Amino acid sequence: MADIKKSQEREELFRTIYKIATDLVHAGHVAEWDFKSYVLGTMFYRYISENFTAYINAGEHAAGNKDFDYAKMSDSDAETAREGLIQEKGFFILPSELFCNVRERADKDENLNETLEQVFAHIESSAASGDAESDFAGLFDDFDVNSKSIGETVAKRNKVLVELLNGVAKMPLFETDGINPDMFGDAYEYLMSMYAANAGKKGGQYFTPADVSELLARLGTIGKTRINKVYDPACGSGSLLLKVEKVLGKDNIERGFFGQEIDLTTYNLCRINMFLHNIDFDKFSVVREDTLLSPMHWDDQPFELIVSNPPFSVPWEGDKNATLINDPRFAPAGVLAPASKGDMAFIMHSLSWLANNGAAAIVCFPGIMYRSGAEQKIRKYLVDNNYVDAIIQLPANLFLNITISVNIMLLKKNKTDNSVLFVDASNEFVKVTKNNRLSDENISRIVSAVAERKDEKYFCQLVPNSEVGNKENNYNLSVSTYVEQKDTREKVDIVKLNAEIDEIVAREQVLRDEIDKIIAELR
């Protein structure tokens, strides 16, 4: 019953959020994808305000001060606790600058745009004096309170900002019965998927569907209930990292969540996503930089889990920059991924960052499994060194704006056999509106096959590395090369068909004889 109630709460939450979000878009006359930063940024502002207030109130109530409410405290009194709270929470918000208090004054504040700009600057600068500086710096950069896209005049912009504060305040993001006490993370994921789905190619690049994220997380944690930390070298909005938290539980990820992202918008969205999922500032490190050319986390302990959906066929310096062959990530293969296609560079980077007892589950463009040249040489390196654990072909039309069937490459450094498991999961899906989806049963079947590593006709085949690298296959890693396709054509009984044809011919001859007889009588 609890699960049913929780599901009903989520659906009601999503319906409410959808209406509020679309109403806000219409109020501001802004495209949904461009307006997402305002809605998500306001949700983040509300979240840290309520989270900060709840933290302080809980401490006071435990000390016997039952009537205490930080939101009603004076700014001057609150200032005395600033330094201690920055050390504990990573940031500080004055009572007057809390979401609830700014919203209460909003419709009477002729300078609301300036008020919000100042509040956001104060929150970011408070973190600058503590360990959370990098996690808060620039978080509100995409929340431009003076943008003409939300209004030509200050008065019109402030009207939209009032609607924004009121709309987010109405979102039922907390429940009181203990079943699902914090829905901010669910709401964030729902909004990201909604905006991405309606934004065409522009939005699809920021989002990995939840079912694919769960499959990657479960593939990478087969046989494990606890890991040291999880990493995504192209982390986007952070959905893959946080799906691991749902699969294993936050307490079972010892040192937290790590990622790198080059795009400013998604970099900010990822950090906001961490906070909205109640990940403390000292439990994540997300850095904005080019992963292939300026990798971060060099000095960290290798990662026990890597999950990633890197951009397909993204150009990079590659073989146009001869010095890159000396990079310890790429040097072992003896060749660089082509400058026009960086897919294999991401794979080699992930392999380099992977712990000896770890696993990396990476979404791949199918072309890298069979193309010749440098990519074939890198495949040879991966197979000959026994790093490729499994290749899974996914159903078509799983991703936003990507209709083709893509692959997952599962890498490991501590394999117990010298084989690659090929899984044809192209038929493991359920149809949902325009797209296909992986059901819980689909995901479980794929994960079980990879865990068991046994042949199953038309579904999976365990192939020795020597066979993958033989003259005939030549390191081709396409699933269709090794897993026989089931013949779904209608089977025809040739003997029966010939007998039916003979019968038809005989009947036809009888009819001809009868017609000839009638014609003869007429004459």
Side-chain angles (χ1 to χ4, degrees):
M1 288 297 291
D3 288 341
I4 294 174
K5 186 170 184 181
K6 182 176 179 179
S7 178
Q8 290 172 341
E9 285 178 351
R10 282 166 53 89
E11 292 304 317
E12 180 59 32
L13 169 69
F14 295 161
R15 279 193 293 271
T16 304
I17 288 174
Y18 181 80
K19 184 180 187 308
I20 292 168
T22 51
D23 286 351
L24 288 170
V25 170
H26 296 147
H29 305 291
V30 187
E32 284 190 14
W33 182 250
D34 296 326
F35 201 63
K36 76 184 179 316
S37 295
Y38 291 93
V39 178
L40 297 173
T42 306
M43 278 178 57
F44 174 63
Y45 174 37
R46 178 186 162 187
Y47 172 79
I48 60 173
S49 293
E50 295 184 10
N51 179 277
F52 191 75
T53 301
Y55 177 80
I56 298 169
N57 288 352
E60 290 292 329
H61 296 167
N65 192 358
K66 301 297 183 184
D67 297 326
F68 179 85
D69 185 358
Y70 181 72
K72 296 176 181 176
M73 196 176 187
S74 70
D75 285 355
S76 57
D77 288 342
E79 278 288 357
T80 60
R82 175 185 286 268
E83 293 307 315
L85 286 166
I86 289 174
Q87 293 302 313
E88 295 168 31
K89 295 294 289 179
F91 65 99
F92 182 80
I93 309 178
L94 287 167
S96 67
E97 296 185 338
L98 292 168
F99 175 89
C100 61
N101 290 330
V102 171
R103 179 192 168 231
E104 189 176 345
R105 303 186 302 265
D107 58 353
K108 302 179 188 68
D109 186 351
E110 294 180 357
N111 301 307
L112 179 60
N113 59 327
E114 294 180 8
T115 298
L116 286 171
E117 189 172 45
Q118 188 176 59
V119 169
F120 297 158
H122 287 170
I123 293 171
E124 288 189 20
S125 64
S126 74
S129 61
D131 294 335
E133 178 181 6
S134 62
D135 297 323
F136 277 84
L139 264 183
F140 293 100
D141 282 357
D142 289 329
F143 197 117
D144 186 355
V145 296
N146 297 306
S147 172
K148 288 188 176 182
S149 67
I150 60 171
E152 287 296 324
T153 65
V154 171
K156 288 180 178 179
R157 291 197 284 273
N158 283 345
K159 185 176 184 297
V160 172
L161 293 172
V162 169
E163 293 293 325
L164 190 59
L165 291 169
N166 288 335
V168 170
K170 292 175 187 173
M171 291 182 180
L173 298 172
F174 282 106
E175 301 297 334
T176 56
D177 61 4
I179 292 175
N180 196 6
D182 187 351
M183 289 187 172
F184 273 95
D186 289 340
Y188 182 91
E189 289 178 14
Y190 173 76
L191 280 167
M192 276 300 299
S193 63
M194 183 188 87
Y195 288 137
N198 293 332
K201 188 175 182 181
K202 183 179 180 182
Q205 64 181 307
Y206 294 91
F207 190 74
T208 302
D211 48 352
V212 179
S213 299
E214 178 162 346
L215 176 59
L216 291 170
R218 288 182 58 183
L219 286 170
T221 55
I222 288 173
K224 293 187 177 183
T225 57
R226 192 173 184 85
I227 59 171
N228 68 342
K229 51 188 180 174
V230 57
Y231 170 68
D232 184 346
C235 61
S237 60
S239 60
L240 279 173
L241 292 171
L242 289 163
K243 188 59 72 173
V244 177
E245 186 255 347
K246 282 196 172 183
V247 169
L248 286 184
K250 185 164 54 178
D251 293 339
N252 292 317
I253 303 168
E254 295 170 4
R255 295 183 55 197
F257 306 80
F258 295 75
Q260 191 164 341
E261 173 59 44
I262 193 171
D263 182 88
L264 175 62
T265 296
T266 40
Y267 165 64
N268 286 334
L269 290 175
C270 183
R271 292 185 296 158
I272 288 174
N273 205 0
M274 291 292 158
F275 284 112
L276 290 181
H277 282 81
N278 204 25
I279 307 298
D280 293 332
F281 71 91
D282 58 346
K283 284 292 185 182
F284 73 87
S285 171
V286 178
V287 184
R288 186 186 175 216
E289 193 52 85
D290 186 322
T291 300
L292 297 183
L293 299 181
S294 301
M296 299 292 107
H297 310 111
W298 271 104
D299 300 326
D300 287 335
Q301 174 188 354
F303 297 93
E304 209 168 325
L305 175 60
I306 297 175
V307 285
S308 190
N309 178 16
F312 289 166
S313 302
V314 65
W316 75 304
E317 289 189 19
D319 49 14
K320 291 182 179 178
N321 182 348
T323 63
L324 283 172
I325 196 61
N326 298 318
D327 188 308
R329 296 171 298 163
F330 311 129
V335 66
L336 293 167
S340 60
K341 303 176 185 72
D343 309 70
M344 279 297 191
F346 275 105
I347 287 173
M348 290 298 293
H349 168 84
S350 293
L351 182 67
S352 181
W353 258 234
L354 186 63
N356 286 332
N357 64 336
I362 306 166
V363 177
C364 301
F365 184 74
I368 71 167
M369 301 297 170
Y370 58 79
R371 288 191 297 235
S372 59
E375 289 177 319
Q376 182 188 39
K377 292 176 182 176
I378 294 173
R379 291 197 305 271
K380 181 179 187 302
Y381 166 76
L382 296 173
V383 172
D384 286 351
N385 286 276
N386 201 30
Y387 292 137
V388 184
D389 187 71
I391 304 291
I392 300 116
Q393 181 180 340
L394 295 178
N397 211 26
L398 278 184
F399 292 78
L400 295 172
N401 312 306
I402 299 176
T403 58
I404 62 171
S405 171
V406 302
N407 299 131
I408 292 174
M409 180 182 288
L410 186 63
L411 299 174
K412 290 185 179 179
K413 291 183 174 179
N414 63 340
K415 290 172 58 184
T416 56
D417 61 24
N418 290 293
S419 301
V420 179
L421 182 75
F422 292 90
V423 181
D424 182 358
S426 56
N427 293 315
E428 291 294 314
F429 66 89
V430 292
K431 194 78 177 172
V432 180
T433 61
K434 296 184 299 182
N435 286 84
N436 296 327
R437 287 285 173 265
L438 300 172
S439 67
D440 291 342
E441 291 75 16
N442 296 144
I443 293 172
S444 294
R445 188 181 183 207
I446 296 167
V447 173
S448 294
V450 174
E452 294 170 7
R453 299 181 73 74
K454 294 178 180 176
D455 295 346
E456 183 179 338
K457 196 170 185 181
Y458 308 128
F459 184 60
C460 58
Q461 187 76 27
L462 190 63
V463 182
N465 293 339
S466 57
E467 184 177 334
V468 174
N470 66 19
K471 187 176 181 180
E472 181 182 353
N473 294 319
N474 206 13
Y475 298 98
N476 185 328
L477 291 179
S478 296
V479 170
S480 58
T481 303
Y482 306 97
V483 181
E484 181 185 355
Q485 295 285 306
K486 188 174 183 179
D487 189 350
T488 57
R489 295 173 300 178
E490 182 181 358
K491 289 184 170 54
V492 178
D493 187 331
I494 297 299
V495 175
K496 183 179 178 183
L497 180 62
N498 285 334
E500 289 174 352
I501 291 172
D502 289 344
E503 186 179 342
I504 290 169
V505 170
R507 289 209 316 263
E508 188 179 72
Q509 187 59 50
V510 170
L511 285 172
R512 281 178 178 166
D513 291 345
E514 290 295 327
I515 290 169
D516 289 344
K517 189 185 295 183
I518 291 169
I519 291 173
E521 289 175 355
L522 288 173
R523 286 176 179 166

